[in-house]
Amino acid sequence: VSGARTPFFRQVARVGRVGGMTETESKWAERIREWKSSGKGAEEFASGRAYKPSTLKWWATELRRRADGRQRATKPRAAKAIRLARVVRRTRAPAAGQAMVVEVSGARISVARGFDAELLADVVRALGGAR
């Protein structure tokens, strides 16, 4: 059975004639039509061309999916835990000599102007407030 007689080929050819395709979709529909009518495998057909066999196969699948009106399957993403810090806003800024208090996992840390940022980060990590 030649590629021209397969339902897939007819479907791609039909998609190529349906209005509303983007320029990119039309270009790939034509490439797929040529590929299927050549009788060659994707690797042989794409050899020496400006695209990879995997791209050719992806577009064939994608255009078939779009012709069928299906949505592309996406893998559900695992929700990442978000750690929130409690921020307490003062009504006025601390005076020049006054320290700021940071609360992490129930511990209160007094941070003065000119503090060692690396040391504070280490302490926060040790308390389990950052990863």
XYZ file of all heavy atoms in Angstrom, residues 7-110:
822
model
N -5.061 6.349 5.113
C -5.948 7.375 5.674
C -5.154 8.566 6.198
O -5.583 9.700 6.090
C -6.668 6.654 6.816
C -6.539 5.206 6.514
C -5.273 5.049 5.728
N -3.970 8.293 6.734
C -3.153 9.386 7.254
C -2.821 10.384 6.146
O -2.945 11.582 6.313
C -1.856 8.844 7.870
C -0.899 9.931 8.238
C -1.087 10.660 9.402
C 0.165 10.252 7.426
C -0.224 11.674 9.750
C 1.028 11.265 7.765
C 0.833 11.981 8.927
N -2.402 9.870 4.987
C -2.041 10.738 3.879
C -3.224 11.598 3.448
O -3.098 12.786 3.251
C -1.525 9.925 2.688
C -1.219 10.782 1.500
C -0.029 11.475 1.424
C -2.135 10.929 0.477
C 0.246 12.286 0.340
C -1.870 11.740 -0.603
C -0.668 12.423 -0.674
N -4.387 10.966 3.309
C -5.582 11.724 2.917
C -5.901 12.795 3.946
O -6.288 13.903 3.601
C -6.765 10.778 2.724
C -6.668 9.973 1.429
C -7.963 9.256 1.126
N -8.366 8.312 2.153
C -7.992 7.039 2.220
N -7.193 6.554 1.294
N -8.409 6.259 3.184
N -5.709 12.459 5.207
C -5.993 13.416 6.278
C -5.056 14.616 6.192
O -5.481 15.756 6.298
C -5.831 12.714 7.620
C -6.435 13.427 8.769
C -6.434 12.540 10.008
O -5.575 11.693 10.181
N -7.402 12.743 10.856
N -3.762 14.364 5.994
C -2.800 15.457 5.887
C -3.098 16.297 4.658
O -3.060 17.516 4.703
C -1.348 14.917 5.860
C -0.369 16.013 5.490
C -0.992 14.324 7.204
N -3.425 15.652 3.559
C -3.754 16.394 2.344
C -4.990 17.256 2.577
O -5.040 18.406 2.161
C -3.981 15.421 1.184
N -5.994 16.690 3.282
C -7.217 17.453 3.573
C -6.897 18.644 4.468
O -7.372 19.743 4.237
C -8.248 16.538 4.230
C -9.584 17.217 4.436
C -10.615 16.292 5.068
N -10.305 16.033 6.448
C -9.998 14.833 6.952
N -9.955 13.771 6.185
N -9.729 14.689 8.227
N -6.062 18.420 5.479
C -5.687 19.514 6.383
C -5.006 20.615 5.592
O -5.201 21.784 5.829
C -4.757 18.995 7.516
C -4.142 20.143 8.283
C -5.541 18.102 8.460
N -4.187 20.237 4.607
C -3.475 21.225 3.803
C -4.406 22.124 3.010
O -4.036 23.235 2.667
N -5.615 21.670 2.707
C -6.558 22.471 1.924
C -7.535 23.255 2.790
O -8.194 24.150 2.301
C -7.335 21.557 0.986
C -6.504 21.071 -0.178
C -7.376 20.377 -1.190
N -7.942 19.162 -0.646
C -7.488 17.935 -0.866
N -6.445 17.760 -1.624
N -8.053 16.892 -0.343
N -7.616 22.924 4.065
C -8.560 23.600 4.943
C -8.015 24.977 5.285
O -6.846 25.123 5.613
C -8.790 22.768 6.235
C -9.638 23.533 7.235
C -9.452 21.455 5.878
N -8.865 25.999 5.205
C -8.430 27.349 5.529
C -8.124 27.488 7.004
O -8.480 26.656 7.821
N -7.433 28.549 7.338
C -7.148 28.814 8.740
C -5.834 28.232 9.222
O -5.493 28.379 10.381
N -5.089 27.551 8.369
C -3.788 27.030 8.782
C -2.776 28.164 8.757
O -2.830 29.051 7.905
C -3.310 25.917 7.843
C -4.068 24.623 7.999
S -3.406 23.322 6.932
C -1.959 22.863 7.842
N -1.863 28.092 9.678
C -0.784 29.077 9.673
C 0.174 28.736 8.545
O 0.141 27.635 7.985
C -0.017 29.071 11.002
O 0.670 27.826 11.126
C -0.930 29.312 12.191
N 1.058 29.657 8.245
C 2.061 29.416 7.211
C 2.944 28.222 7.594
O 3.270 27.380 6.760
C 2.910 30.676 7.034
C 3.892 30.607 5.897
C 4.655 31.910 5.721
O 4.084 32.977 5.986
O 5.827 31.831 5.323
N 3.295 28.147 8.858
C 4.129 27.049 9.345
C 3.405 25.714 9.208
O 3.977 24.725 8.741
C 4.525 27.281 10.815
O 5.254 28.507 10.897
C 5.371 26.158 11.360
N 2.124 25.676 9.601
C 1.354 24.438 9.477
C 1.255 24.011 8.017
O 1.411 22.829 7.701
C -0.043 24.629 10.071
C -0.053 24.754 11.572
C -1.397 25.194 12.118
O -2.145 25.894 11.406
O -1.693 24.847 13.266
N 1.015 24.952 7.128
C 0.910 24.635 5.697
C 2.226 24.091 5.169
O 2.249 23.124 4.404
C 0.525 25.883 4.904
O -0.752 26.317 5.273
N 3.337 24.702 5.588
C 4.657 24.246 5.145
C 4.905 22.808 5.590
O 5.332 21.961 4.804
C 5.729 25.181 5.727
C 7.155 24.737 5.447
C 8.173 25.736 5.985
C 8.119 25.816 7.493
N 9.128 26.714 8.060
N 4.574 22.516 6.854
C 4.802 21.164 7.367
C 3.822 20.159 6.772
O 4.177 19.009 6.521
C 4.796 21.139 8.892
C 6.108 21.625 9.416
C 6.400 22.852 9.918
C 7.331 20.881 9.424
N 7.729 22.922 10.249
C 8.328 21.726 9.966
C 7.690 19.601 9.046
C 9.652 21.320 10.123
C 9.004 19.197 9.211
C 9.968 20.051 9.736
N 2.598 20.570 6.508
C 1.634 19.668 5.866
C 2.149 19.262 4.490
O 2.053 18.094 4.101
C 0.268 20.336 5.770
N 2.722 20.205 3.759
C 3.285 19.899 2.436
C 4.480 18.954 2.559
O 4.611 17.994 1.805
C 3.688 21.200 1.729
C 4.349 20.991 0.375
C 3.443 20.313 -0.644
O 2.207 20.358 -0.494
O 3.976 19.730 -1.606
N 5.360 19.213 3.524
C 6.516 18.333 3.735
C 6.066 16.913 4.079
O 6.643 15.934 3.596
C 7.404 18.881 4.855
C 8.173 20.114 4.449
C 8.941 20.686 5.631
N 9.737 21.830 5.217
C 10.389 22.624 6.048
N 10.354 22.394 7.352
N 11.088 23.641 5.595
N 5.045 16.801 4.908
C 4.544 15.482 5.307
C 3.906 14.772 4.116
O 4.105 13.572 3.920
C 3.557 15.613 6.490
C 4.318 16.094 7.725
C 2.849 14.297 6.763
C 3.433 16.659 8.811
N 3.166 15.523 3.293
C 2.570 14.941 2.091
C 3.668 14.384 1.188
O 3.580 13.253 0.700
C 1.738 15.986 1.343
C 0.965 15.397 0.153
C 0.384 16.465 -0.759
N 1.396 17.349 -1.330
C 2.270 16.990 -2.287
N 2.274 15.780 -2.776
N 3.140 17.855 -2.756
N 4.740 15.162 0.985
C 5.866 14.708 0.157
C 6.525 13.476 0.768
O 6.875 12.531 0.056
C 6.892 15.828 0.000
C 6.423 16.980 -0.859
C 7.389 18.159 -0.838
O 8.483 18.053 -0.243
O 7.047 19.200 -1.420
N 6.709 13.499 2.086
C 7.336 12.374 2.789
C 6.518 11.104 2.599
O 7.046 10.061 2.225
C 7.494 12.733 4.268
C 7.849 11.590 5.167
C 8.712 10.567 4.901
C 7.333 11.349 6.470
N 8.781 9.709 5.985
C 7.941 10.164 6.959
C 6.428 12.012 7.289
C 7.668 9.644 8.212
C 6.172 11.503 8.540
C 6.776 10.319 8.999
N 5.206 11.189 2.872
C 4.352 10.004 2.788
C 4.261 9.477 1.359
O 4.234 8.267 1.142
C 2.947 10.298 3.344
C 2.949 10.515 4.845
C 3.402 9.270 5.558
C 3.402 9.436 7.046
N 3.799 8.222 7.750
N 4.221 10.367 0.377
C 4.120 9.900 -1.010
C 5.454 9.350 -1.516
O 5.477 8.597 -2.483
C 3.609 11.012 -1.925
O 4.549 12.066 -1.990
N 6.564 9.675 -0.835
C 7.878 9.161 -1.249
C 8.061 7.686 -0.899
O 8.887 7.008 -1.501
C 8.999 9.976 -0.591
O 9.156 9.610 0.783
N 7.328 7.212 0.114
C 7.482 5.836 0.553
C 8.718 5.602 1.409
O 9.010 4.481 1.796
N 9.458 6.663 1.695
C 10.684 6.557 2.500
C 10.352 6.703 3.981
O 9.326 7.264 4.345
C 11.669 7.662 2.113
C 12.146 7.594 0.680
C 13.061 8.760 0.366
C 13.511 8.725 -1.091
N 14.345 9.893 -1.420
N 11.272 6.222 4.808
C 11.157 6.448 6.241
C 11.538 7.888 6.562
O 12.152 8.586 5.728
N 11.213 8.341 7.738
C 11.491 9.727 8.126
C 12.987 10.034 8.075
O 13.387 11.105 7.616
C 10.940 10.009 9.520
N 13.822 9.093 8.525
C 15.266 9.323 8.546
C 15.817 9.510 7.134
O 16.580 10.439 6.870
C 15.994 8.161 9.245
C 15.789 8.118 10.742
C 14.413 7.598 11.160
O 13.694 6.983 10.324
O 14.039 7.833 12.322
N 15.404 8.629 6.234
C 15.882 8.712 4.854
C 15.353 9.976 4.174
O 16.088 10.676 3.477
C 15.439 7.471 4.080
C 15.994 7.403 2.673
C 15.518 6.174 1.904
O 14.803 5.327 2.489
O 15.842 6.078 0.710
N 14.076 10.273 4.379
C 13.472 11.444 3.736
C 14.106 12.744 4.222
O 14.374 13.648 3.433
C 11.956 11.477 3.984
C 11.268 12.606 3.274
C 10.956 12.509 1.922
C 10.943 13.771 3.950
C 10.329 13.559 1.261
C 10.316 14.822 3.299
C 10.009 14.715 1.941
N 14.375 12.837 5.528
C 14.900 14.088 6.094
C 16.399 14.253 5.869
O 16.928 15.350 6.055
C 14.595 14.149 7.590
N 17.071 13.211 5.461
C 18.516 13.271 5.241
C 18.850 14.370 4.226
O 18.292 14.418 3.127
C 19.018 11.921 4.734
O 20.402 11.987 4.500
N 19.740 15.276 4.631
C 20.166 16.364 3.748
C 19.203 17.544 3.714
O 19.403 18.496 2.976
N 18.151 17.479 4.486
C 17.193 18.594 4.536
C 17.453 19.430 5.782
O 18.212 19.038 6.657
C 15.764 18.065 4.525
C 15.465 17.290 3.238
C 14.040 16.783 3.233
N 13.817 15.851 2.174
C 13.186 16.133 1.034
N 12.705 17.325 0.842
N 13.033 15.210 0.113
N 16.805 20.554 5.879
C 17.058 21.505 6.965
C 16.282 21.185 8.243
O 16.122 22.047 9.092
C 16.715 22.923 6.497
N 15.805 19.965 8.380
C 15.080 19.571 9.591
C 15.405 18.127 9.925
O 15.885 17.367 9.082
C 13.566 19.775 9.434
C 12.990 19.215 8.154
C 12.587 17.889 8.071
C 12.851 20.022 7.034
C 12.066 17.381 6.898
C 12.324 19.517 5.857
C 11.936 18.196 5.793
O 11.423 17.698 4.640
N 15.123 17.771 11.155
C 15.430 16.431 11.651
C 14.242 15.498 11.434
O 13.094 15.955 11.389
C 15.743 16.487 13.146
C 16.972 17.292 13.475
C 17.183 17.314 14.971
C 18.388 18.164 15.335
N 18.603 18.196 16.783
N 14.512 14.194 11.355
C 13.408 13.228 11.226
C 12.430 13.330 12.395
O 11.218 13.199 12.199
C 14.114 11.871 11.234
C 15.529 12.147 10.886
C 15.815 13.549 11.320
N 12.943 13.598 13.598
C 12.059 13.691 14.765
C 11.099 14.872 14.634
O 9.944 14.788 15.051
C 12.882 13.817 16.054
O 13.716 14.967 15.999
N 11.561 15.959 14.024
C 10.687 17.125 13.816
C 9.605 16.790 12.792
O 8.437 17.156 12.975
C 11.517 18.336 13.356
O 12.574 18.554 14.293
C 10.653 19.583 13.245
N 9.994 16.082 11.752
C 9.034 15.667 10.730
C 7.944 14.788 11.351
O 6.743 15.001 11.127
C 9.764 14.901 9.619
C 8.942 14.445 8.425
C 8.420 15.632 7.634
C 9.800 13.552 7.529
N 8.356 13.825 12.167
C 7.386 12.936 12.824
C 6.518 13.694 13.819
O 5.316 13.430 13.926
C 8.117 11.779 13.507
C 8.712 10.802 12.505
C 9.261 9.569 13.174
C 10.732 9.722 13.461
N 11.360 8.517 14.010
N 7.113 14.654 14.537
C 6.331 15.433 15.504
C 5.243 16.213 14.782
O 4.079 16.220 15.201
C 7.224 16.392 16.297
C 6.442 17.128 17.341
C 6.195 16.726 18.614
C 5.767 18.395 17.194
N 5.419 17.652 19.278
C 5.144 18.692 18.429
C 5.628 19.305 16.165
C 4.403 19.840 18.645
C 4.883 20.465 16.379
C 4.288 20.715 17.610
N 5.601 16.867 13.672
C 4.607 17.641 12.939
C 3.524 16.729 12.351
O 2.356 17.111 12.289
C 5.265 18.493 11.849
C 5.662 19.831 12.383
C 6.919 20.256 12.683
C 4.783 20.913 12.706
N 6.868 21.535 13.180
C 5.576 21.966 13.202
C 3.407 21.090 12.636
C 5.026 23.174 13.613
C 2.865 22.300 13.049
C 3.668 23.326 13.531
N 3.895 15.541 11.905
C 2.888 14.611 11.383
C 1.874 14.282 12.473
O 0.656 14.307 12.245
C 3.566 13.341 10.871
N 2.378 13.996 13.663
C 1.488 13.696 14.797
C 0.666 14.920 15.184
O -0.541 14.824 15.422
C 2.323 13.223 16.005
O 3.066 12.071 15.613
C 1.447 12.903 17.199
N 1.310 16.069 15.234
C 0.632 17.304 15.644
C -0.469 17.694 14.659
O -1.576 18.050 15.061
C 1.660 18.434 15.780
C 1.087 19.755 16.222
C 0.519 19.751 17.629
O 0.710 18.780 18.385
O -0.142 20.746 17.995
N -0.193 17.621 13.381
C -1.218 17.987 12.392
C -2.375 16.992 12.392
O -3.523 17.379 12.212
C -0.596 18.114 10.999
C 0.334 19.322 10.824
C 1.005 19.275 9.464
C -0.410 20.635 11.019
N -2.071 15.712 12.622
C -3.129 14.701 12.729
C -4.002 15.021 13.941
O -5.227 14.968 13.875
C -2.522 13.306 12.850
C -3.583 12.212 12.847
C -3.027 10.800 12.954
N -1.771 10.598 12.283
C -0.652 10.191 12.893
N -0.638 9.932 14.173
N 0.462 10.035 12.210
N -3.357 15.367 15.060
C -4.097 15.699 16.281
C -4.984 16.922 16.041
O -6.152 16.936 16.411
C -3.115 15.979 17.425
C -3.822 16.329 18.725
C -2.874 16.958 19.732
N -2.271 18.191 19.285
C -2.888 19.379 19.271
N -4.132 19.492 19.658
N -2.260 20.456 18.866
N -4.437 17.934 15.407
C -5.221 19.153 15.145
C -6.380 18.868 14.193
O -7.467 19.424 14.363
C -4.318 20.239 14.573
C -3.323 20.775 15.577
C -2.421 21.821 14.982
N -1.354 22.165 15.923
C -0.444 23.103 15.687
N -0.467 23.796 14.563
N 0.493 23.344 16.580
N -6.150 18.016 13.203
C -7.224 17.669 12.259
C -8.354 16.938 12.963
O -9.518 17.085 12.608
C -6.661 16.815 11.124
N -8.004 16.162 13.971
C -9.016 15.435 14.743
C -9.673 16.322 15.801
O -10.593 15.894 16.487
C -8.391 14.220 15.447
C -7.976 13.140 14.464
O -8.414 13.193 13.297
O -7.199 12.249 14.864
N -9.153 17.539 15.974
C -9.707 18.458 16.964
C -9.337 18.127 18.390
O -9.996 18.553 19.322
N -8.269 17.356 18.575
C -7.854 16.982 19.936
C -6.847 17.981 20.478
O -6.102 18.598 19.731
C -7.205 15.599 19.924
C -8.174 14.483 19.632
C -7.473 13.153 19.597
N -6.681 13.104 18.367
C -5.609 12.357 18.202
N -5.167 11.603 19.168
N -4.954 12.360 17.061
N -6.844 18.071 21.778
C -5.854 18.897 22.463
C -4.584 18.081 22.645
O -4.638 16.870 22.802
C -6.365 19.342 23.843
C -7.562 20.258 23.771
C -7.215 21.568 23.093
O -6.189 22.164 23.362
N -8.079 22.013 22.202
N -3.444 18.761 22.644
C -2.180 18.064 22.857
C -2.120 17.598 24.295
O -2.456 18.332 25.212
C -0.998 18.990 22.551
C 0.328 18.273 22.692
C 1.488 18.978 22.030
N 1.797 20.238 22.622
C 1.939 21.372 21.947
N 1.785 21.395 20.658
N 2.233 22.483 22.552
N -1.718 16.365 24.483
C -1.608 15.814 25.831
C -0.429 16.457 26.546
O 0.649 16.570 25.990
C -1.407 14.305 25.754
N -0.669 16.882 27.744
C 0.408 17.451 28.539
C 0.511 16.665 29.825
O -0.489 16.198 30.362
C 0.165 18.938 28.866
O -1.072 19.045 29.552
C 0.121 19.786 27.607
N 1.717 16.526 30.298
C 1.930 15.816 31.549
C 1.552 16.751 32.694
O 1.936 17.919 32.701
C 3.397 15.421 31.702
C 3.853 14.403 30.693
C 5.316 14.069 30.918
C 5.814 13.098 29.871
N 7.247 12.834 30.028
N 0.803 16.241 33.655
C 0.489 17.099 34.796
C 1.770 17.393 35.559
O 2.609 16.518 35.764
C -0.473 16.254 35.640
C -0.348 14.867 35.133
C 0.232 14.927 33.754
N 1.941 18.621 35.912
C 3.137 19.021 36.644
C 2.901 18.875 38.131
O 1.845 19.238 38.636
C 3.507 20.469 36.326
C 3.891 20.637 34.882
C 4.324 22.037 34.617
N 4.610 22.191 33.195
C 5.268 23.194 32.703
N 5.681 24.149 33.481
N 5.495 23.258 31.423
N 3.888 18.329 38.780
C 3.793 18.170 40.232
C 3.899 19.550 40.876
O 4.750 20.350 40.509
C 4.912 17.265 40.739
N 3.014 19.801 41.788
C 3.037 21.085 42.478
C 4.221 21.117 43.437
O 4.468 20.171 44.172
C 1.740 21.292 43.245
N 4.972 22.201 43.373
C 6.103 22.356 44.269
C 5.621 23.081 45.518
O 4.789 23.984 45.440
C 7.214 23.173 43.611
C 7.868 22.454 42.462
C 9.006 23.272 41.909
C 9.674 22.539 40.762
N 10.789 23.300 40.218
N 6.153 22.652 46.634
C 5.789 23.301 47.892
C 6.387 24.707 47.902
O 7.530 24.919 47.517
C 6.329 22.502 49.066
N 5.594 25.636 48.321
C 6.050 27.019 48.421
C 6.112 27.377 49.895
O 5.128 27.251 50.617
C 5.087 27.979 47.692
C 5.011 27.616 46.221
C 5.522 29.421 47.875
C 3.973 28.405 45.462
N 7.273 27.808 50.308
C 7.432 28.213 51.698
C 7.251 29.722 51.776
O 7.878 30.462 51.033
C 8.804 27.808 52.220
C 8.957 26.285 52.230
C 10.264 25.862 52.812
N 10.420 26.256 54.185
C 10.149 25.488 55.238
N 9.685 24.279 55.043
N 10.340 25.916 56.464
N 6.388 30.144 52.660
C 6.103 31.561 52.813
C 6.737 32.087 54.094
O 6.820 31.385 55.095
C 4.589 31.793 52.859
C 3.807 31.295 51.643
C 2.322 31.488 51.876
C 4.248 32.022 50.398
N 7.170 33.317 54.032
C 7.725 33.965 55.215
C 6.700 34.967 55.724
O 6.022 35.639 54.940
C 9.028 34.683 54.864
N 6.576 35.065 57.011
C 5.663 36.036 57.599
C 6.380 37.380 57.652
O 7.463 37.497 58.207
C 5.293 35.593 59.016
C 4.273 36.496 59.654
C 3.780 35.890 60.961
N 3.355 36.973 61.803
C 3.869 37.266 62.969
N 4.816 36.521 63.475
N 3.430 38.285 63.664
N 5.792 38.374 57.063
C 6.388 39.703 57.021
C 5.592 40.610 57.943
O 4.373 40.714 57.827
C 6.378 40.279 55.588
C 6.935 41.688 55.566
C 7.147 39.366 54.652
N 6.312 41.220 58.860
C 5.681 42.163 59.776
C 6.192 43.547 59.411
O 7.390 43.807 59.466
C 6.025 41.824 61.251
C 5.364 42.828 62.178
C 5.600 40.404 61.571
N 5.276 44.407 59.061
C 5.661 45.741 58.625
C 5.552 46.717 59.782
O 4.535 46.766 60.473
C 4.747 46.167 57.483
C 5.131 47.437 56.865
C 4.265 47.709 55.673
N 4.743 48.901 55.032
C 4.333 49.329 53.882
N 3.429 48.643 53.238
N 4.813 50.421 53.370
N 6.594 47.476 59.966
C 6.573 48.510 61.014
C 5.972 49.780 60.442
O 6.050 50.022 59.248
C 7.989 48.796 61.497
C 8.592 47.631 62.224
C 9.922 48.055 62.764
N 10.508 46.948 63.504
C 11.364 47.109 64.463
N 11.755 48.314 64.808
N 11.869 46.071 65.083
N 5.425 50.567 61.320
C 4.817 51.816 60.857
C 5.882 52.848 60.498
O 5.649 53.723 59.694
C 3.883 52.397 61.932
O 4.613 52.549 63.135
C 2.690 51.488 62.126
N 7.060 52.731 61.073
C 8.142 53.659 60.729
C 9.439 52.865 60.583
O 9.587 51.790 61.145
C 8.298 54.747 61.781
C 8.559 54.223 63.161
C 8.471 55.367 64.200
N 8.428 54.781 65.517
C 9.478 54.736 66.335
N 10.608 55.288 65.991
N 9.374 54.165 67.503
N 10.357 53.405 59.807
C 11.633 52.729 59.568
C 12.463 52.743 60.847
O 12.399 53.685 61.631
C 12.391 53.436 58.451
N 13.265 51.689 61.088
C 14.106 51.669 62.278
C 15.169 52.770 62.217
O 15.619 53.143 61.146
C 14.742 50.284 62.250
C 14.583 49.784 60.869
C 13.419 50.503 60.279
N 15.520 53.272 63.333
C 16.551 54.312 63.408
C 17.882 53.711 62.985
O 18.062 52.486 62.970
C 16.633 54.841 64.831
N 18.845 54.561 62.667
C 20.137 54.132 62.146
C 20.815 53.088 63.030
O 21.405 52.147 62.540
C 21.047 55.331 61.951
N 20.731 53.200 64.328
C 21.401 52.266 65.219
C 20.555 51.065 65.590
O 21.030 50.131 66.228
N 19.294 51.064 65.192
C 18.370 50.001 65.566
C 18.502 48.792 64.642
O 18.809 48.928 63.465
C 16.936 50.533 65.480
C 16.124 50.269 66.700
C 14.728 50.862 66.542
O 14.408 51.528 65.578
N 13.909 50.596 67.527
N 18.281 47.620 65.181
C 18.359 46.392 64.389
C 16.972 46.015 63.864
O 15.954 46.412 64.420
C 18.914 45.266 65.245
N 16.960 45.242 62.815
C 15.728 44.711 62.267
C 15.584 43.288 62.808
O 16.560 42.559 62.944
C 15.837 44.670 60.727
C 14.662 44.055 60.051
S 14.740 44.143 58.233
C 16.182 43.173 57.879
N 14.365 42.867 63.101
C 14.135 41.524 63.625
C 13.513 40.672 62.524
O 12.515 41.043 61.920
C 13.217 41.569 64.868
C 12.923 40.154 65.366
C 13.840 42.413 65.962
N 14.150 39.512 62.277
C 13.672 38.564 61.278
C 13.220 37.325 62.030
O 13.942 36.810 62.869
C 14.795 38.196 60.282
C 14.307 37.179 59.277
C 15.326 39.432 59.592
N 12.002 36.850 61.713
C 11.487 35.654 62.368
C 11.474 34.509 61.363
O 10.896 34.623 60.293
C 10.076 35.907 62.904
C 9.581 34.792 63.779
C 8.237 35.133 64.429
O 7.986 36.308 64.730
O 7.460 34.187 64.601
N 12.149 33.398 61.728
C 12.230 32.230 60.865
C 11.931 30.989 61.692
O 12.620 30.730 62.677
C 13.635 32.089 60.229
C 13.709 30.859 59.347
C 14.009 33.332 59.451
N 10.912 30.259 61.302
C 10.537 29.016 61.994
C 10.448 29.206 63.508
O 10.919 28.381 64.279
C 11.541 27.906 61.661
O 11.563 27.656 60.283
N 9.889 30.299 63.915
C 9.711 30.567 65.342
C 10.903 31.213 66.021
O 10.803 31.655 67.164
N 12.038 31.287 65.346
C 13.227 31.932 65.932
C 13.263 33.392 65.490
O 12.939 33.706 64.346
C 14.492 31.211 65.475
N 13.665 34.268 66.388
C 13.771 35.698 66.067
C 15.252 36.052 65.969
O 16.015 35.786 66.883
C 13.090 36.527 67.136
C 11.602 36.182 67.226
C 10.909 37.014 68.251
N 10.092 37.932 67.477
C 9.619 39.069 67.932
N 9.881 39.455 69.144
N 8.876 39.823 67.165
N 15.633 36.643 64.863
C 17.025 37.017 64.614
C 17.093 38.525 64.465
O 16.373 39.121 63.667
C 17.552 36.352 63.322
C 17.354 34.836 63.380
C 19.006 36.700 63.087
C 17.518 34.151 62.041
N 17.970 39.138 65.223
C 18.173 40.576 65.171
C 19.272 40.864 64.150
O 20.379 40.360 64.253
C 18.575 41.088 66.556
O 18.757 42.476 66.500
